[in-house]
Amino acid sequence: MLPNVLQPNATDHVPVLADEVRELLAVKPGETVVDATFGAGGHSAVLAAELQGRGKLIAIDRDPTAREFFDRFAKRASVQTRFLRGDFAVVLEQLAENGVQADAILLDLGVSSMQIDRPDRGFSYAVDAPLDMRMDPSADVSAAGIVNEADERDLATIFRRYGEERYAKQIARAIVRRRKERPFERTGDLVETIRSAIPAPARFGDGHPAKRVFQALRIAVNDELGSLEAALPAAFAMLRAGGRLGVISFHSLEDRAVKRFMRDLERGCDCPPDFPVCVCGKEPQLRALSRKPIRPSANELTVNPRAGSARFRVGVKTG
């Protein structure tokens, strides 16, 4: 069994791709910046420094524990700051509807370091803790609820769709068999069940055998892809002409959604390909700053191995 660790580790938050965020979002003094996934405030500190005492930074996070990090950040920041708690899709939509405009918006997707480093939140398969995974602890659905209540077919679909898990059916079957004896309450129980369901050679392959299932459950519990699909157009609507939208993703499902969104805005004309001339009159609304996602450097990976799967895409809103 895994160790029962309920106290958070005292680790410093290292923002992923900090240099690239600083360079490509190109924040200038006097601008309005939105950090839509504040977390422990690492990226906000980088962006606020670029404002050089003039401008505004709006921080958003659904996790109530982010507030204490924000309060410390706000005391040090030399610019106007504001914290809004909630799902970034909902908050960004509300800001856009209220006419709030921004010059730079950053979304750093997935689970934050402060959540991973709190084992009692249940995000990590490396320690034994309550099976939770809610980014907002007040939300109704937890990982334990899904694992104990979803039927076998739905579990397999979640593991395959959100975790790209090769052995989704076998793991779902093992979970249903195990929960007939007693419900799942802890991450350690789930890890052991996953391990037992996977063929022995695969247990020593690409990383920890439970990582894909834990990723899939976290995405399902927090409706992360649904929030992203709603947040992208809301964030784009908030941008002024020349504003920059940056998104850091950590797995292919997120990155494909961001890539598709930006490509659609870049394309402009949506006339059928056999039309000799454009009749729709649609112009490109966005210019991507790179065709491929930006990845962490070798130096960053040495300092921060958690950045290994990060992909960064940035687009500029055209006039």
Side-chain angles (χ1 to χ4, degrees):
M1 291 294 292
L2 299 171
N4 181 10
V5 182
L6 292 179
Q7 295 301 319
N9 296 323
T11 57
D12 293 328
H13 175 58
V14 180
V16 173
L17 292 161
D19 291 339
E20 291 79 0
V21 166
R22 180 188 296 108
E23 177 184 354
L24 295 177
L25 288 189
V27 170
K28 304 175 184 64
E31 291 188 330
T32 297
V33 179
V34 178
D35 183 350
T37 46
F38 182 79
H43 286 118
S44 283
V46 170
L47 298 172
E50 296 299 293
L51 291 173
Q52 298 179 20
R54 293 186 290 120
K56 178 190 297 184
L57 188 140
I58 300 172
I60 302 170
D61 206 292
R62 70 168 77 178
D63 193 326
T65 62
R67 182 71 203 217
E68 62 186 85
F69 291 95
F70 175 80
D71 289 342
R72 291 202 293 267
F73 161 78
K75 289 178 181 178
R76 298 191 302 267
S78 59
V79 297
Q80 182 181 351
T81 59
R82 182 183 181 190
F83 181 79
L84 300 172
R85 186 194 161 197
D87 182 332
F88 59 53
V90 176
V91 176
L92 289 170
E93 287 176 349
Q94 291 173 342
L95 291 173
E97 290 171 358
N98 289 328
V100 177
Q101 292 186 305
D103 300 285
I105 300 176
L106 176 67
L107 284 74
D108 180 8
L109 305 176
V111 64
S112 70
S113 294
M114 71 172 188
Q115 291 163 334
I116 293 176
D117 292 335
R118 288 285 304 273
D120 55 299
R121 301 293 296 276
F123 288 102
S124 175
Y125 44 74
V127 294
D128 182 38
L131 185 58
D132 194 320
M133 301 192 196
R134 290 174 294 178
M135 292 180 178
D136 179 353
S138 67
D140 295 332
V141 179
S142 69
I146 292 177
V147 169
N148 288 316
E149 296 171 15
D151 64 31
E152 184 175 326
R153 178 179 296 182
D154 288 343
L155 285 173
T157 299
I158 289 170
F159 301 156
R160 188 183 306 109
R161 179 180 299 168
Y162 299 144
E164 299 175 301
E165 172 56 61
R166 179 180 178 185
Y167 300 103
K169 286 185 177 180
Q170 294 92 322
I171 294 170
R173 188 177 305 118
I175 287 173
V176 170
R177 188 185 308 120
R178 157 66 170 73
R179 75 189 189 191
K180 289 179 180 177
E181 302 172 7
R182 62 185 184 280
F184 286 89
E185 296 179 351
R186 303 190 67 80
T187 57
D189 295 332
L190 181 58
V191 168
E192 292 303 314
T193 301
I194 294 167
R195 196 189 303 275
S196 68
I198 295 176
R203 298 173 196 168
F204 307 98
D206 182 22
H208 196 285
K211 73 175 186 179
R212 292 185 179 87
V213 170
F214 270 62
Q215 171 186 293
L217 284 172
R218 192 202 76 222
I219 291 172
V221 166
N222 299 288
D223 189 24
E224 293 179 33
L225 291 178
S227 290
L228 177 61
E229 295 281 359
L232 290 171
F236 186 75
M238 284 184 62
L239 288 177
R240 296 186 176 94
R244 290 79 62 197
L245 172 61
V247 185
I248 301 174
S249 58
F250 288 87
H251 60 78
S252 58
L253 294 173
E254 294 172 335
D255 185 58
R256 283 199 293 268
V258 177
K259 176 182 177 180
R260 183 170 60 248
F261 175 78
M262 291 191 174
R263 290 282 171 87
D264 288 347
L265 290 174
E266 277 190 291
R267 186 169 57 245
C269 174
D270 58 8
C271 293
D274 57 344
F275 275 34
V277 295
C278 173
V279 296
C280 72
K282 293 184 178 179
E283 297 289 339
Q285 301 176 65
L286 177 140
R287 175 175 56 85
L289 296 186
S290 65
R291 301 309 300 171
K292 294 183 178 181
I294 296 155
R295 305 299 297 271
S297 67
N299 289 338
E300 177 170 2
L301 293 179
T302 300
V303 176
N304 185 16
R306 286 179 179 174
S309 59
R311 303 170 176 91
F312 186 34
R313 293 185 185 271
V314 183
V316 179
K317 188 171 187 175
T318 58

